Amino acid sequence: MGKMMRFQHQNYCYQPLRREAIAGLFMLLFPVFLLCLFTPFSHASPSKFSELNVLKPRHLPLLKSALQRESSNGEPSDLRAPLADQGWRPCLATVNAPSLPQKSEGYLQVFLDGGLNQQRMGICDAVAVAKILNATLVIPHLEVNPVWQDSSSFMDIFDVDHFISVLKDDVTIVKELPDEFSWSTREYYAIAIRATRIKRAPVHASANWYLENVLPVLKSYGIAAISPFSHRLSFDNLPSEIQKLRCKVNFKALVFVPHIRALGDALVHRLRYPLAESQALTIDDLSGNTDQNHKQRPQKFVVVHLRFDKDMAAHSACDFGGGKAEKLALAKYRQTLWGGRVLNSQFTDEELRSQGRCPLTPEEIGLLLAALGFDNSTRLYLASHKVYGGEARISTLRELFPMMESKKSLASSEERVHIKGKASLLAAVDYYVGLHSDIFVSASPGNMHNALMGHRTFENMKTIRPNMALLGQLFLNKNITWLDFRQAVVEGHQNRQGQLRLRKLKQSIYTYPAPDCMCQA
């Protein structure tokens, strides 16, 4: 009993001491707890990489020299001069082209994946296949891109009435299927094997393949649905009228919806007449004949397509200066999207760069332009969706070209409300501005680069094609001087500034429209 009382007394005396100790420990750890609570998760572990990290320039000596280059003070430059006449003209008229048959073989549906410009090429191919089969084309269905998650339809992007009107003498096109075929939907083909679906169309299939494999389905069922369809028509061994029709679709029939054209015109106007921006000119005011326009000489501007999103960075398997954490983050992203099945991941960064297989970073595209002779007074329009690394990566390019603009800087949020969050519509605006620029340059090959290069070739407009292999080797040389770098860049790009190149076997007609769709004057 006495022992029990002594134990209870000791326990009673110990409880205040224990509470004091716990309270003291809490006060000691409380600041640490607060710090952890309000620190961003991206900085919680050194093994995790944040795209928002401020990165040091990778080519600092070149950057310092480029920043010291002299301004041209508005003096004319051959670099900014229009492309000289090369003796080629658009040539889409066909001789003895077959007239449109009175009776169609049936309805042709196509389902197109990819981004805007891949879908654009698919639309052109769909019209050509409909012509080959004498089919009635249903306005193509645009699949939702798994990366950009944009559900915009054909009619959200392109002027469908203009499209049908321009092609009315070539192919019969309908906006939707008649009621008797209303069952033929994407959902219908997703749940089971269907006799009317063509799912094994080879890449770059011949015209004969379609006549042998799709025409019988059309004749049997009155309808055929091809999915997937991207890159499913050959560029070679096709009748001349089919090739010209593809170009007619691409360069004449496919125009953007009015609100995209209006916004594009507004951006082009503000780039050409920057002083008029202070007049708060709205899209509806653009007539091209304002008093401000008469007082101010139009300025030239360069569009830079910066394809440097996380998708591109991961798929390239190149090193972009973010250290081990960035490499691990991109490798994990690569594994998630493609299961690690990326050819470039088998090579070292040095091998990839020397072969020209790494996209140019914002810093590198800036150094390229500076070396070519563009000074810090150059009006630059940045065409891009989401730049991997955000402003931290763009800042070097902005430092080299302080007059750089974008959709966001040139147009108000109210003006951009119809395209906000829609990757295809954003890309359409960039395409439109890129087509109307004085000079277009892309930081890496891709569908946007290829589509605009072909379109600008068709219109005889200047386009700079970066020599990726040369630039990769130059940027690997950490001891190169600015003088040597600039000389090598200028020499390596003398014949890469819009000079017409004839299409070779297997090359895309949408990138190289001559000689199929252009004639020598």
Side-chain angles (χ1 to χ4, degrees):
M1 183 69 176
K3 289 182 179 180
M4 180 65 70
M5 289 178 65
R6 282 198 303 273
F7 175 78
Q8 288 176 345
H9 174 72
Q10 289 172 355
N11 189 45
Y12 176 80
C13 294
Y14 176 72
Q15 284 177 358
L17 294 174
R18 183 170 60 182
R19 283 196 296 268
E20 290 175 7
I22 293 172
L25 183 63
F26 178 79
M27 293 300 293
L28 184 66
L29 295 177
F30 185 68
V32 178
F33 170 75
L34 278 179
L35 183 63
C36 293
L37 183 64
F38 293 103
T39 300
F41 290 125
S42 58
H43 299 291
S45 169
S47 65
K48 293 182 179 179
F49 176 77
S50 170
E51 293 182 35
L52 303 179
N53 288 345
V54 178
L55 300 171
K56 293 180 180 179
R58 301 197 72 189
H59 313 287
L60 191 57
L62 292 178
L63 178 61
K64 286 181 177 178
S65 298
L67 289 170
Q68 294 171 1
R69 71 198 191 282
E70 296 181 359
S71 172
S72 65
N73 297 319
E75 296 176 2
S77 166
D78 290 340
L79 188 64
R80 304 187 190 193
L83 199 60
D85 189 343
Q86 302 181 75
W88 288 80
R89 301 285 185 273
C91 187
L92 299 180
T94 55
V95 180
N96 299 323
S99 58
L100 191 62
Q102 291 186 349
K103 184 182 178 183
S104 165
E105 296 289 354
Y107 292 95
L108 178 67
Q109 284 181 294
V110 296
F111 297 83
L112 302 172
D113 53 16
L116 172 68
N117 292 292
Q118 181 174 317
Q119 290 172 337
R120 182 188 186 100
M121 297 168 197
I123 293 166
C124 300
D125 287 348
V127 173
V129 169
K131 181 70 172 179
I132 291 168
L133 297 173
N134 182 29
T136 298
L137 178 67
V138 184
I139 289 295
H141 175 87
L142 308 185
E143 299 279 19
V144 177
N145 188 289
V147 176
W148 306 123
Q149 292 296 314
D150 185 355
S151 59
S152 297
S153 69
F154 183 104
M155 297 183 196
D156 293 328
I157 304 169
F158 300 106
D159 187 331
V160 67
D161 292 325
H162 176 84
F163 180 75
I164 294 173
S165 175
V166 170
L167 299 171
K168 67 181 186 300
D169 295 328
D170 302 291
V171 175
T172 302
I173 303 173
V174 295
K175 295 179 181 179
E176 56 186 24
L177 287 166
D179 290 343
E180 62 182 300
F181 292 110
S182 60
W183 49 265
S184 184
T185 63
R186 183 183 183 281
E187 292 72 26
Y188 173 76
Y189 294 111
I191 58 175
I193 297 174
R194 309 293 188 182
T196 52
R197 179 187 174 185
I198 313 296
K199 61 182 294 186
R200 299 190 183 279
V203 173
H204 299 152
S206 67
N208 282 338
W209 187 91
Y210 284 97
L211 292 170
E212 293 169 2
N213 294 273
V214 181
L215 186 57
V217 176
L218 281 172
K219 289 186 172 184
S220 297
Y221 301 96
I223 189 170
I226 309 177
S227 176
F229 185 72
S230 298
H231 310 296
R232 290 308 194 271
L233 182 62
S234 173
F235 291 118
D236 305 305
N237 302 317
L238 289 173
S240 174
E241 61 266 21
I242 295 297
Q243 298 288 59
K244 291 182 185 298
L245 177 58
R246 295 166 98 175
C247 291
K248 183 178 180 179
V249 179
N250 194 28
F251 304 132
K252 301 297 181 183
L254 284 175
V255 301
F256 298 120
V257 291
H259 77 84
I260 290 179
R261 300 201 306 269
L263 179 56
D265 285 332
L267 299 182
V268 170
H269 182 277
R270 291 163 192 174
L271 286 162
R272 294 218 181 278
Y273 301 96
L275 295 182
E277 290 180 35
S278 59
Q279 304 295 327
L281 203 64
T282 66
I283 290 176
D284 295 332
D285 295 329
L286 291 175
S287 63
N289 296 311
T290 63
D291 291 338
Q292 292 85 358
N293 293 1
H294 290 303
K295 295 175 183 177
Q296 186 183 358
R297 187 173 68 178
Q299 295 192 19
K300 295 182 182 294
F301 69 95
V302 180
V303 167
V304 174
H305 176 235
L306 190 58
R307 177 75 198 276
F308 197 73
D309 49 60
K310 189 173 184 178
D311 222 32
M312 170 67 83
H315 195 271
S316 71
C318 300
D319 179 8
F320 298 109
K324 185 178 180 181
E326 182 183 63
K327 288 181 182 178
L328 291 173
L330 290 178
K332 184 177 180 181
Y333 187 76
R334 194 158 51 240
Q335 182 67 33
T336 302
L337 256 63
W338 301 289
R341 298 185 300 275
V342 174
L343 180 64
N344 280 9
S345 59
Q346 302 174 20
F347 302 96
T348 65
D349 180 72
E350 185 172 339
E351 289 171 333
L352 292 171
R353 290 190 180 279
S354 62
Q355 296 171 27
R357 296 168 73 170
C358 293
L360 298 178
T361 65
E363 176 189 1
E364 290 167 347
I365 194 70
L367 289 171
L368 165 64
L369 293 174
L372 285 172
F374 293 101
D375 60 32
N376 58 12
S377 68
T378 302
R379 296 282 290 174
L380 216 66
Y381 175 85
L382 187 62
S384 66
H385 182 49
K386 288 184 178 180
V387 175
Y388 176 61
E391 186 59 35
R393 285 200 194 269
I394 299 174
S395 60
T396 308
L397 179 60
R398 194 181 302 282
E399 194 176 358
L400 285 165
F401 296 96
M403 298 182 71
M404 185 172 73
E405 303 283 4
S406 65
K407 293 182 289 293
K408 193 172 183 180
S409 67
L410 288 172
S412 66
S413 57
E414 290 79 12
E415 290 172 316
R416 292 180 283 112
V417 67
H418 296 299
I419 64 172
K420 185 179 180 182
K422 296 185 178 296
S424 292
L425 300 187
L426 291 164
V429 173
D430 283 340
Y431 187 102
Y432 189 90
V433 177
L435 184 60
H436 291 82
S437 65
D438 298 285
I439 301 170
F440 175 79
V441 57
S442 181
S444 63
N447 289 325
M448 178 76 138
H449 165 89
N450 293 339
L452 265 172
M453 190 175 92
H455 207 151
R456 290 175 67 87
T457 296
F458 190 75
E459 302 289 350
N460 195 50
M461 302 173 76
K462 184 172 285 188
T463 303
I464 296 175
R465 296 183 299 110
N467 188 330
M468 303 297 286
L470 171 67
L471 292 169
Q473 293 164 18
L474 293 177
F475 286 128
L476 283 171
N477 183 357
K478 299 303 179 183
N479 298 316
I480 193 170
T481 65
W482 173 250
L483 187 63
D484 290 340
F485 176 79
R486 184 173 181 177
Q487 182 179 349
V489 166
V490 170
E491 291 177 356
H493 289 82
Q494 285 180 345
N495 297 316
R496 304 178 72 89
Q497 298 184 28
Q499 291 85 350
L500 188 140
R501 302 168 70 198
L502 299 181
R503 188 179 72 86
K504 298 177 182 178
L505 199 66
K506 296 185 179 180
Q507 287 185 331
S508 170
I509 197 172
Y510 308 121
T511 308
Y512 305 99
D516 301 88
C517 304
M518 301 181 75
C519 306
Q520 283 186 293

